[in-house]
Amino acid sequence: MALRSLARFALSRRVADACFQQATKLQVAVQGPPALTSLLWRRTASSLLQEASASTSTPAFGTEADLVVPLLNQRGRQVGTYTLGGDVFNTEVRRDILHRVVRWQLAARQQGTHKTKTRTEVRGGGRKPRPQKGGGVSRQGSIRAPQWRGGGVAHGPVTRSHAIKLLKRIRRLGLCSALSAKAREGRLLVVDTLRLPQPKTRVLSSTLEGLLAGAPRRSVLLSDLSAEGPDGGEGLRRACANLPWVDLLPSIGLNVYSILRRDYLVLTRQSVEAVQERLRKPIRPQRSTA
């Protein structure tokens, strides 16, 4: 312990000496006319104030502070601003939670219909193929044993469910992490509406070209309120059916795997409100004591 304390003291002494030498050099370099020196320090102070104000105007990511993002129209032009809830779109991005949620989704999606027949399920093999003794060959009891050609399979796959359990709060945390990751990367767009004047693929393609102008890759997930909602509807679903790089989900169907699978996420205002309302509901509502 004494050696460690001495080493720490020596290291701190070296750091202090180095800082003193740098400060002395800076003072010597700044020496000159008083007006020039004061102007230099004023500029330094003003730049520091500007950096501080810029850092305070834009909230840091992961602090659960509300985010103010531009509200776009279908042509990609800003028509206003929209405030995203920090408890949903500005949380800490947990990669471990994202991995657990994606694994849970893909495991639940497996069909689990794989099946092989055992020796009791293969047709035939009811009688003993040859006598037990006297033949000079191995002892066999059925031609449907696993070692026979055409016999059953030992320890083969059976029909089962691959689904695993995951707490609801972990699932919610994963969805918030996925939304926060898109907002952090600048790949989350909020539009006023996605309702098209005509349910045509070319109309939707031109709309997405305006929204994703300058994007290196056009891979997008769209989300509206519902199939009967006023912000998208059935016409939007018909238009995006022929675009392989476009996915469409209602707000209730937003999930971690679909968000991470595409490069950009486009949400309508009503979809954002529905997602925030769903994620803010208590997992276990309190029961009234009356």
Side-chain angles (χ1 to χ4, degrees):
M1 296 298 292
L3 292 177
R4 288 184 180 179
S5 60
L6 288 176
R8 292 175 182 174
F9 177 77
L11 180 60
S12 61
R13 188 63 181 271
R14 289 180 183 177
V15 173
D17 293 340
C19 293
F20 180 77
Q21 293 177 3
Q22 293 294 333
T24 305
K25 292 180 181 180
L26 180 61
Q27 185 177 3
V28 172
V30 171
Q31 285 180 357
L36 182 60
T37 305
S38 61
L39 180 61
L40 177 62
W41 287 111
R42 285 178 187 174
R43 289 184 176 179
T44 306
S46 62
S47 62
L48 290 175
L49 289 175
Q50 291 178 1
E51 293 177 0
S53 62
S55 61
T56 54
S57 61
T58 302
F61 288 101
T63 58
E64 295 190 2
D66 293 343
L67 297 177
V68 179
V69 297
L71 181 63
L72 309 177
N73 58 8
Q74 294 186 4
R75 297 183 179 180
R77 298 177 182 177
Q78 183 175 353
V79 295
T81 58
Y82 192 83
T83 303
L84 299 176
D87 56 341
V88 177
F89 293 91
N90 194 13
T91 62
E92 181 184 0
V93 179
R94 296 280 304 274
R95 295 188 177 182
D96 56 333
I97 299 298
L98 294 176
H99 174 265
R100 291 178 62 182
V101 177
V102 170
R103 182 171 173 266
W104 168 75
Q105 284 188 241
L106 296 183
R109 199 172 66 173
Q110 287 185 261
Q111 292 184 355
T113 55
H114 37 52
K115 179 70 173 68
T116 57
K117 291 185 178 182
T118 61
R119 61 183 297 169
T120 60
E121 298 171 338
V122 180
R123 180 181 177 85
R127 67 179 182 86
K128 191 176 179 62
R130 52 177 175 258
Q132 181 79 358
K133 295 178 177 295
V137 292
S138 60
R139 297 166 290 185
Q140 301 294 333
S142 174
I143 61 174
R144 295 297 178 251
Q147 69 269 19
W148 282 73
R149 181 178 181 272
V153 178
H155 311 294
V158 296
T159 304
R160 67 183 182 92
S161 173
H162 292 268
I164 57 178
K165 293 183 179 180
L166 192 64
L167 296 178
K168 185 176 288 187
R169 62 182 181 88
I170 301 297
R171 287 180 262 162
R172 284 193 177 185
L173 183 58
L175 184 55
C176 292
S177 295
L179 294 173
S180 301
K182 290 299 181 183
R184 191 173 193 174
E185 296 172 355
R187 297 185 178 183
L188 174 63
L189 305 179
V190 181
V191 297
D192 52 357
T193 181
L194 286 174
R195 179 168 288 276
L196 303 176
Q198 296 178 354
K200 299 292 184 180
T201 302
R202 57 179 177 83
V203 177
L204 179 60
S205 181
S206 62
T207 300
L208 294 179
E209 287 179 1
L211 289 174
L212 305 178
R217 294 179 57 186
R218 291 193 307 172
S219 176
V220 61
L221 171 63
L222 307 178
S223 176
D224 59 351
L225 184 60
S226 63
E228 296 80 15
D231 56 343
E234 189 64 29
L236 181 62
R237 282 154 178 77
R238 293 181 181 178
C240 68
N242 294 330
L243 297 177
W245 47 275
V246 178
D247 290 339
L248 176 61
L249 288 175
S251 60
I252 194 65
L254 272 181
N255 58 86
V256 175
Y257 180 72
S258 299
I259 293 175
L260 299 181
R261 185 169 174 263
R262 296 301 183 180
D263 293 331
Y264 288 88
L265 175 62
V266 178
L267 303 174
T268 61
R269 288 188 301 176
Q270 297 182 1
S271 177
V272 172
E273 295 173 359
V275 169
Q276 292 182 153
E277 181 182 359
R278 175 163 64 99
L279 294 178
R280 287 171 179 170
K281 283 184 178 180
I283 297 178
R284 290 185 178 179
Q286 298 179 355
R287 297 180 180 179
S288 59
T289 57

